[in-house]
Amino acid sequence: MVKYFSTRGGGSAVSASEAVLKGLAEDGGLFFPDHIPALTKSLKELSEMSYQDVAYEVMRLFLSDYTEEELKNCIRNAYDSKFDTEVIAPLAYAGGAYYLELFHGATIAFKDMALSILPHLMITAAKKNHIKNDIVILTATSGDTGKAALAGFADVEGTKIIVFYPKNGVSPIQEKQMVTQRGENTFVVGIHGNFDDAQNGVKKIFGDKEFGKLMEESGYQFSSANSINIGRLVPQVVYYVYAYAQLLKEGKISDKEPVNVVVPTGNFGNILAAYFAKNMGLPIAKLICASNENKVLFDFFRTGIYDRNREFVLTSSPSMDILISSNLERLIYLIAGSDAEKNKELMMQLSMSGKYEITTKMQEKLQDFYGGFADEAETAKMIRSLCDDCGYVIDPHTAVAACVYEKYKAETKDGTKTIIASTASPYKFTRSVMRALGKDEGEADDFVLADRLSELSGVKIPEAVEGIRTAPVLHDTVCEKGEMADAVRRYLGI
């Protein structure tokens, strides 16, 4: 049975269901499995399975205290008609790479892949652990997590969800998706600040022992839907295994043939899931970490120095506008030889001075990774060239990945077949996409642009966009970044 420990060494081992419930370890660390289990089914066997069956074969290895019935029930409730394709995560070939489309869920972004199952994992975990309190999901979003979490937890009995987002740091459609969210248990707050401010505010509330005591007295307890929750990370491992299995099934690759994986990266969870898949035995050669102009991860992979002391850039790929990549802590812990003290020391340096430097020995363990970045002009050019050359339209986050992949090929001459994680529908960022295609006429709103994009691409507008076109705004609370705890207290009435 896999047990989970804090990356900072505090507390004792917990079960998978306890780690899912807690979200964050009590010492501020992230939960990490005592070992990364190996796949028990062959790649050939996996290639004959549906997405749901692959999900079970991967997730049961990590979530080992869930019974077969419990886990299969969670999977069945998650990966259903909420997705607009039965295959859940299809692959599209364009421009010499396989695009893994992770945006066919209810909110047209990759966060749906994990956040459609997290509420079910959490409610099951609460029952298993005899939790009587209502669970309050407290999360910060750079655009996509918020709506996907809101959609997942809306009206789920025994839960409330509070989402903070940077008021001027998400796309108009991302904001409209959140502020029109229905559900008696949902609460959305814009803050005057950026995503890192929102994330730091959430972490501060989680770490406030007095607040925790007040919550307990009021019949509540916090948990997280952010990508730091192991219940978010484990489901993300699934789609890399599934993608490889599908390429094998279709004869695009041979059994055990290595592939590269490119991921547009902000908080590091999505690419970390690919690294977990590699450690489980999936034949991944290079993990290509693509950053936008907030290239803190690019600099880290080149120098071994993580430094968030820099200008924060608002880009057309807002879900990657992040300077503190929370999930990187799990990789640091791993390359430090699971040395919690060393990891804790580095995280303390990050907290105090905004930077840390890993040892040469740790840096040598990063050979599986390649860091690259694309600026705004390069991102727009990539969207246009892929559309012109292949008739395939991608969003700005995916374009960052595609651009970095082109740079990687030019630098390394590596011809390994490659999967690019396509993390959002172009309809989520219509203005940026249409501007890149030279079709933004300035005065049109994002929904008019969606109509024009549909005409241009021949792809139907997703229900996630159509459904909010005329939806009323239900959440209009805005606060300063220092007032987040007050907003939580007011909403919960404590």
Side-chain angles (χ1 to χ4, degrees), residues 200-220:
N200 286 336
V202 165
K203 281 185 175 176
K204 193 173 176 185
I205 295 169
F206 269 119
D208 187 334
K209 296 284 189 277
E210 286 301 310
F211 204 137
K213 195 175 167 190
L214 182 61
M215 291 279 288
E216 179 69 34
E217 289 166 358
S218 307
Y220 296 119

Side-chain angles (χ1 to χ4, degrees), residues 97-295:
Y98 295 96
Y99 285 81
L100 175 58
E101 295 185 347
L102 301 172
F103 52 76
H104 288 273
T107 74
I108 57 176
F110 83 98
K111 308 292 173 75
D112 288 324
M113 303 300 293
L115 281 164
S116 59
I117 193 168
L118 181 63
H120 303 291
L121 293 175
M122 206 167 263
I123 294 305
T124 303
K127 287 175 186 165
K128 288 175 80 65
N129 291 279
H130 312 293
I131 300 298
K132 298 288 188 286
N133 290 341
D134 275 10
I135 296 165
V136 179
I137 303 299
L138 187 63
T139 200
T141 184
S142 54
D144 287 338
T145 287
K147 173 59 182 180
L150 288 161
F153 282 93
D155 292 323
V156 171
E157 198 176 336
T159 70
K160 292 184 184 294
I161 176 163
I162 303 168
V163 170
F164 291 97
Y165 73 98
K167 177 64 183 159
N168 298 308
V170 300
S171 81
I173 284 181
Q174 282 179 313
E175 182 170 46
K176 190 82 187 284
Q177 280 187 307
M178 287 189 281
V179 299
T180 58
Q181 176 65 51
R182 297 180 183 280
E184 290 298 311
N185 63 337
T186 64
F187 185 51
V188 181
V189 184
I191 69 155
H192 294 303
N194 59 38
F195 169 71
D196 287 332
D197 295 324
Q199 184 165 252
N200 286 336
V202 165
K203 281 185 175 176
K204 193 173 176 185
I205 295 169
F206 269 119
D208 187 334
K209 296 284 189 277
E210 286 301 310
F211 204 137
K213 195 175 167 190
L214 182 61
M215 291 279 288
E216 179 69 34
E217 289 166 358
S218 307
Y220 296 119
Q221 69 183 65
F222 282 130
S223 191
S224 166
N226 271 68
S227 61
I228 54 174
N229 192 312
I230 202 73
R232 279 277 305 274
L233 185 63
V234 169
Q236 289 179 278
V237 179
V238 174
Y239 45 73
Y240 294 110
V241 178
Y242 179 74
Y244 187 96
Q246 287 306 295
L247 290 178
L248 181 59
K249 181 181 183 178
E250 293 164 15
K252 303 289 174 33
I253 55 175
S254 58
D255 196 8
K256 299 188 176 62
E257 180 182 346
V259 298
N260 291 332
V261 172
V262 191
V263 187
T265 307
N267 216 19
F268 207 74
N270 204 2
I271 195 165
L272 183 69
Y275 188 59
F276 270 44
K278 178 183 172 80
N279 280 275
M280 294 182 82
L282 198 68
I284 295 174
K286 216 62 168 175
L287 295 133
I288 300 167
C289 178
S291 299
N292 64 17
E293 288 183 26
N294 293 293
K295 55 189 180 67

Side-chain angles (χ1 to χ4, degrees), residues 67 86 99 112 289 365 387:
T67 66
E86 278 186 27
Y99 285 81
D112 288 324
C289 178
K365 294 181 182 176
C387 181

